[in-house]
Amino acid sequence: GQQLNQSPQSMFIQEGEDVSMNCTSSSIFNTWLWYKQDPGEGPVLLIALYKAGELTSNGRLTAQFGTTRKDSFLNISASIPSDVGIYFCAGQKYAGGTSYGKLTFGQGTILTVHP
Amino acid sequence: NAGVTQTPKFRVLKTGQSMTLLCAQDMNHEYMYWYRQDPGMGLRLIHYSVGEGTTAKGEVPDGYNVSRLKKQNFLLGLESAAPSQTSVYFCASSPLRAHSNQPQHFGDGTRLSIL
């Protein structure tokens, strides 16, 4: 099945550093989403992007919808220990009918923040 | 607010046993989804439903069946469990329109081990 290539697979950073991760696809998506998953919990939506070129912020998080509609980027500024977790990108297509709303997920980026 | 509730949270089965995973949402969402999460592979869609009484196959449907008899419930069944089905299973739901602040809400997962 179709997959998104998410990188890096893992990151080990010091508290206060900035973080960047990205997701690429061979096909176009209409929506890009970024989720965070804490241990033992389900993914929680961080940012949703609906238009090519869109740049959206949520606190210290900023995400961009690539202009080609085949990629997206997530940046976290001034990281703190509670940023630890797995970050997933997800793409969504509007295929109409019963395909509407399905998500394709990246493999995830494991973020570790050292105090 | 309950959101998406999955039961059970943990289960250990023997090969060949059957079981049903339950998912309930109280947000009146039209769409519901079942994913499995395996290390290094992100979330993969098993089956999904676009409304009461309708279901469709996702990316990895083999070995699973689903039912959506009530709008608020989506059941995932394993007829004859196999070790390859050891995974963490997530249920999600989303409203009819994708353009909302939170397109998919996830439950906290069911951790299933097949011996």
Side-chain angles (χ1 to χ4, degrees):
Chain A
Q2 182 177 354
Q3 286 188 332
L4 300 181
N5 295 314
Q6 186 173 345
S7 64
Q9 290 187 338
S10 61
M11 301 183 72
F12 298 85
I13 63 171
Q14 292 292 126
E15 182 177 1
E17 292 184 355
D18 296 343
V19 174
S20 292
M21 59 190 77
N22 68 81
C23 219
T24 60
S25 171
S26 58
S27 61
I28 291 173
F29 287 102
N30 299 98
T31 299
W32 281 95
L33 306 164
W34 285 93
Y35 285 86
K36 182 192 177 195
Q37 185 179 24
D38 291 324
E41 299 182 8
V44 174
L45 183 70
L46 297 174
I47 294 178
L49 302 159
Y50 298 110
K51 294 190 333 185
E54 180 180 356
L55 186 69
T56 298
S57 293
N58 178 7
R60 295 178 293 105
L61 278 63
T62 301
Q64 184 164 23
F65 192 141
T67 54
T68 64
R69 296 165 65 191
K70 294 182 179 181
D71 56 7
S72 182
F73 306 88
L74 176 69
N75 295 313
I76 305 173
S77 63
S79 59
I80 59 178
S82 62
D83 290 334
V84 166
I86 305 176
Y87 291 79
F88 290 99
C89 62
Q92 189 173 45
K93 293 185 177 182
Y94 299 164
T98 57
S99 297
Y100 196 75
K102 287 194 299 181
L103 294 181
T104 300
F105 282 84
Q107 304 96 320
T109 295
I110 302 171
L111 179 63
T112 303
V113 180
H114 294 288
Chain B
N1 293 334
V4 178
T5 303
Q6 292 183 231
T7 54
K9 295 188 184 303
F10 305 93
R11 186 72 182 266
V12 178
L13 292 178
K14 293 182 180 179
T15 298
Q17 285 186 318
S18 63
M19 79 160 296
T20 300
L21 279 62
L22 311 179
C23 177
Q25 53 96 2
D26 61 2
M27 298 169 284
N28 201 35
H29 284 171
E30 291 291 334
Y31 297 104
M32 295 188 75
Y33 314 82
W34 275 106
Y35 294 89
R36 61 178 287 173
Q37 184 178 29
D38 301 296
M41 300 192 72
L43 284 83
R44 292 182 293 167
L45 184 64
I46 304 172
H47 286 280
Y48 64 102
S49 168
V50 299
E52 180 179 328
T54 68
T55 63
K57 294 180 179 180
E59 182 185 353
V60 287
D62 294 342
Y64 306 95
N65 57 75
V66 289
S67 64
R68 182 100 179 268
L69 299 179
K70 294 183 179 180
K71 184 177 182 179
Q72 64 268 32
N73 297 331
F74 196 27
L75 279 60
L76 177 71
L78 285 73
E79 290 185 347
S80 180
S84 61
Q85 294 179 303
T86 294
S87 187
V88 182
Y89 292 86
F90 287 98
C91 175
S93 70
S94 64
L96 184 61
R97 294 186 180 277
H99 269 249
S100 64
N101 289 334
Q102 295 188 339
Q104 286 198 17
H105 294 249
F106 283 82
D108 285 339
T110 295
R111 281 145 187 84
L112 185 61
S113 294
I114 315 296
L115 304 179

